[in-house]
Amino acid sequence: MKIAVFDEYRIGIVDGSDLIDVTEACPSYSNTWPPVFMLPFIEEFTNIRPKIEDLIRRRSRMVALRDVRLRPPVPMPTKILAAPVNYQRHQKEMTAKGAVYEGMVLHTVAQYGVFLKPSSSLVGSDSVIELPFSDRRTDHEAELAVVIGRRGRNIRREEAYDYVFGYTGLMDITVRGHEDRTYRKGFDGFTPMGPYVVTKDEMSDPQHIGLELTVDGEVRQVGNTEDLIFDIPRLIEAASFQTTLYPGDIISTGTPEGVGPIRAGNTVRLTVEGIGELVVRVSQGHPDSRRGLDI
Ligand code: MN
């Protein structure tokens, strides 16, 4: 199933160009803040699936996909974990292009572990994102994200897929520079996610998922999860060694080569095989580029 969150935080299943509203199948649903209803929806998914399938058959509440505003398909996970450098060719390009400051070592998960992005940085497809600085390089990073389905700690790589609920597209937008990753990657709008979560039964081979990112139609990044340094099971093992994973948690797997700057006016489009197209437009944010950072 392709699961979307839309409009005033309703839950829908994508059916061609339509969206079937299945919100009533969600246990303890509420559209008041905080929008955490997808967590019990995911945790209880196996139990509520017959009810969801019944709602799909009845098609009693349906809207055209093009008429809705898409939200992040998990609007408020307990955490978004992300892999630092996790494709070899990206590791090479970051050194070659001087995109990192002198002396910086590009560690992978083995040395660096995983890092956090705040859920407040999430936006859905067709959002406008703001560049916080007018004078610093801000990059797109195209990524496949894993959505966790079950609570788990110290998960072994051999059983890791049992803990996966599904997959989605994610852009890990990043200001280049010296600050911690969590700061540079944590601005509002810096984690576009979606357009949908696709349940794992519909993704036949997560080790071979292709992704492509374009900026104003120009291809910038082409990648495939077969080139991951830490594959999905190893990422789940590494992440769950540090922290308990909960239903709805997001693990973003890292970006292939081809990262580059985005500028106000750009349209950035991430296509993930089997998932769909995540699109954002870029605008310039606050003109005071040092706000809050002055000594
Ligand atoms: Mn990244």
Side-chain angles (χ1 to χ4, degrees):
M1 286 184 195
K2 288 189 168 74
I3 305 167
V5 173
F6 67 101
D7 292 347
E8 296 314 306
Y9 294 88
R10 311 269 321 161
I11 305 168
I13 305 298
V14 179
D15 182 15
S17 58
D18 295 325
L19 201 50
I20 299 164
D21 192 319
V22 298
T23 310
E24 65 177 271
C26 181
S28 58
Y29 175 79
S30 165
N31 69 353
T32 57
W33 190 90
V36 292
F37 53 86
M38 282 304 287
L39 282 49
F41 183 91
I42 289 169
E43 183 171 41
E44 292 296 321
F45 186 73
T46 308
N47 297 329
I48 64 175
R49 191 165 186 149
K51 194 171 175 186
I52 294 169
E53 282 165 351
D54 187 49
L55 289 165
I56 292 171
R57 268 191 301 275
R58 280 161 39 202
R59 304 170 78 85
S60 54
R61 202 169 166 170
M62 204 165 68
V63 283
L65 250 178
R66 63 171 183 277
D67 293 338
V68 305
R69 174 169 178 196
L70 289 172
R71 308 287 184 176
V74 184
M76 193 171 272
T78 81
K79 54 195 163 300
I80 303 161
L81 296 163
V85 178
N86 200 25
Y87 284 85
Q88 269 167 17
R89 286 193 294 268
H90 173 55
Q91 189 176 28
K92 287 200 186 93
E93 85 174 338
M94 292 302 279
T95 313
K97 278 186 181 171
V100 291
Y101 57 88
E102 211 180 313
M104 181 175 174
V105 181
L106 282 164
H107 289 314
T108 66
V109 177
Q111 296 88 20
Y112 194 89
V114 291
F115 62 89
L116 279 164
K117 298 192 79 172
S119 54
S120 48
S121 65
L122 286 169
V123 289
S125 194
D126 297 314
S127 294
V128 176
I129 65 173
E130 287 188 350
L131 301 175
F133 302 106
S134 55
D135 57 351
R136 291 182 60 178
R137 177 172 159 177
T138 302
D139 281 1
H140 54 78
E141 295 191 355
E143 310 202 1
L144 173 84
V146 178
V147 182
I148 295 297
R150 283 169 59 194
R151 183 184 301 216
R153 184 85 202 279
N154 290 316
I155 300 163
R156 287 179 296 110
R157 63 189 74 172
E158 296 78 17
E159 58 180 6
Y161 283 119
D162 296 344
Y163 290 80
V164 173
F165 176 72
Y167 302 91
T168 190
L170 187 148
M171 294 183 205
D172 177 19
I173 306 291
T174 306
V175 175
R176 297 295 167 200
H178 291 72
E179 301 95 339
D180 279 353
R181 280 181 170 84
T182 294
Y183 182 85
R184 292 184 289 106
K185 294 167 173 279
F187 289 90
D188 278 10
F190 270 31
T191 313
M193 189 169 80
Y196 325 113
V197 170
V198 178
T199 51
K200 64 178 173 187
D201 56 300
E202 290 197 8
M203 300 291 280
S204 54
D205 187 1
Q207 313 269 24
H208 296 89
I209 299 175
L211 40 151
E212 180 185 272
L213 182 140
T214 64
V215 177
D216 295 341
E218 179 195 331
V219 177
R220 293 270 190 93
Q221 293 188 269
V222 178
N224 193 295
T225 56
E226 68 194 10
D227 294 322
L228 287 171
I229 298 171
F230 273 67
D231 66 7
I232 292 164
R234 289 185 72 198
L235 282 175
I236 291 172
E237 184 175 270
S240 69
F241 167 73
Q242 186 219 8
T243 179
T244 302
L245 299 180
Y246 293 101
D249 279 0
I250 306 297
I251 302 179
S252 201
T253 55
T255 194
E257 73 274 19
V259 300
I262 51 173
R263 297 191 175 84
N266 285 161
T267 297
V268 188
R269 193 177 297 266
L270 168 64
T271 308
V272 183
E273 190 186 345
I275 293 174
E277 264 189 15
L278 171 67
V279 186
V280 293
R281 270 164 288 282
V282 183
S283 69
Q284 184 58 54
H286 200 281
D288 180 358
S289 67
R290 294 301 297 170
R291 178 174 268 217
L293 293 175
D294 312 70
I295 299 170

